[in-house]
Every structure is written in C-alpha cells, then in structure tokens.
Amino acid sequence: MVTPVDVGLVLVGLLLAFVGAALSVYAVTLAGFLVGAGTGYVFAPSLLGVVGAEGLVATAGIVVVVGLVGAFLAYAGLSFAVMGIGGIVGAFIARFAVAPIYVAGTWETAAVTVVGLVVGALFGLIATKLTLVFTSGFIGSAFATRSLTLAEFQAAQETLSIEPLIFDMLSPLFLAVFVLGVLFQVGLFRFGYVTKLVGIVPGARRWTAGEDKSGS
C-alpha cells in the first residue's frame, strides 16, 4: 500500500536528483533534514526509553525535531554540511562495495567504511560543487526509485544498524535515475540555467567555479 509518506519521499527524491545542486542552499538543508529525520527515526526507541515515553506521536516528535536540527546545522554551515553529506555517501558506497567480500561487523568492513567516509568528506572539502551534484543525485535517486523506503528505516531502527539501509546501487532503475539526474544538473550549470533558477527562487545560492576550490 502506497502512503502519502511514500509519495512525498519519491517527490523529494526527484527534486534532489534533478535540481539539487542548482538550488544548493535548499538542497543541502533538505538533505540535512532527511539525514536528521532518518537518524532520529532509527534511534527514537532508545531515546524514548531514556525519557520514559512511547507511542507514535512521541516518535514523530523526535523525528521532526532531529530533522529540523539537521536542517538548521546544514543551513548554518553549508560547506561543512556538504563535507558531512559527502562523507555519509562515501561510507555507504564503500560499505556496499565490500558487502560481497566481508561479513558485516568485521574490522575489514569497518575499516573500508571509514575510509569511504573520509574520502567522501575530503572530496566535499576540495570539490564542493561536484560533491553537491553527486550526493544530491545519489540521495535523491535512492528515494525516488524507492531503493530507500520507510521499511528500511524501520528495519534499521529494530537492529540499530545501517545494514538494512545498504541498497543495491547497481540496480538499473537506480543507476538510470542517478545518471540522468547528474547529467541534468551538470547541464543546468553548463548552459546557465542555474542563474535563472537562482533568480526565481528567493534565497537560493550556489557555488560558482571560482568559489569551488577544485576549480571545477
């Protein structure tokens, strides 16, 4: 059964996948909210146990509050937020890459995942705009293709593990949306449509090639 939450996540995913980097401040803030809300949802039972509360309303409250905290931190520290999002995506990709080789929980898995996190964060530091294009396309495609749904977050909540969130990144549908989204976003920058979008949407801003430390 498709719920309004499912539809909302797909629409948000499409927005991030195809125009995320063009509206950088909004995309990073939205990504920060999604990361915060997902984290809040996974750890909600533990937090509620500490304060002695329970129920759907209490869980929803934690999800919204942590999501808003994530959104605020992302908005307040845009460049650092891109580093953090780059690190998260890098860790996910690294974990997926070693899944067929190492069993979850081994030190090899942990080591490779940490390396992926560090590489993703460093890439976000030296190539901000490219990282934003890649990560917004990646996160957006994951939600748009329902590679990540509420069910996966529920499983992660029950196990307190990121393993249920590691989806098949070689899925043809995911790859198609991801590649099309990234190419579309690159085209927006290359052909000057970003400037028009920024002019239309109040408060939007972007990193130009000069502002990107990589010069790309």
Side-chain angles (χ1 to χ4, degrees):
M1 178 179 178
V2 178
T3 67
V5 173
D6 296 324
V7 175
L9 287 177
V10 170
L11 293 177
V12 167
L14 290 172
L15 179 68
L16 282 175
F18 285 90
V19 295
L23 303 176
S24 57
V25 64
Y26 292 113
V28 172
T29 302
L30 182 57
F33 178 83
L34 289 175
V35 171
T39 303
Y41 186 82
V42 169
F43 291 99
S46 300
L47 295 175
L48 291 176
V50 172
V51 299
E54 61 180 11
L56 181 61
V57 174
T59 299
I62 288 180
V63 170
V64 172
V65 169
V66 179
L68 289 176
V69 170
F72 173 77
L73 293 177
Y75 180 84
L78 211 56
S79 296
F80 289 105
V82 175
M83 287 177 57
I85 294 170
I88 291 172
V89 171
F92 268 66
I93 293 175
R95 177 64 189 90
F96 172 77
V98 301
I101 305 173
Y102 301 115
V103 177
T106 61
W107 71 267
E108 295 95 341
T109 300
V112 173
T113 303
V114 170
V115 169
L117 182 134
V118 172
V119 171
L122 287 176
F123 196 79
L125 176 65
I126 64 177
T128 303
K129 186 174 69 179
L130 285 177
T131 301
L132 186 56
V133 169
F134 183 87
T135 56
S136 63
F138 184 92
I139 296 173
S141 299
F143 285 106
T145 61
R146 293 180 56 77
S147 299
L148 283 179
T149 66
L150 192 59
E152 279 74 39
F153 284 95
Q154 289 174 335
Q157 181 189 78
E158 293 172 358
T159 60
L160 288 180
S161 168
I162 68 167
E163 298 304 319
L165 303 178
I166 305 300
F167 58 90
D168 183 7
M169 299 175 192
L170 298 180
S171 163
L173 181 59
F174 170 80
L175 288 177
V177 175
F178 173 67
V179 171
L180 288 174
V182 168
L183 290 177
F184 187 83
Q185 293 195 64
V186 170
L188 290 178
F189 281 97
R190 184 174 297 277
F191 297 109
Y193 291 108
V194 168
T195 303
K196 296 178 181 179
L197 285 172
V198 170
I200 294 173
V201 181
R205 70 176 186 264
R206 66 183 176 92
W207 289 280
T208 63
E211 290 170 329
D212 192 328
K213 297 178 182 179
S214 68
S216 55

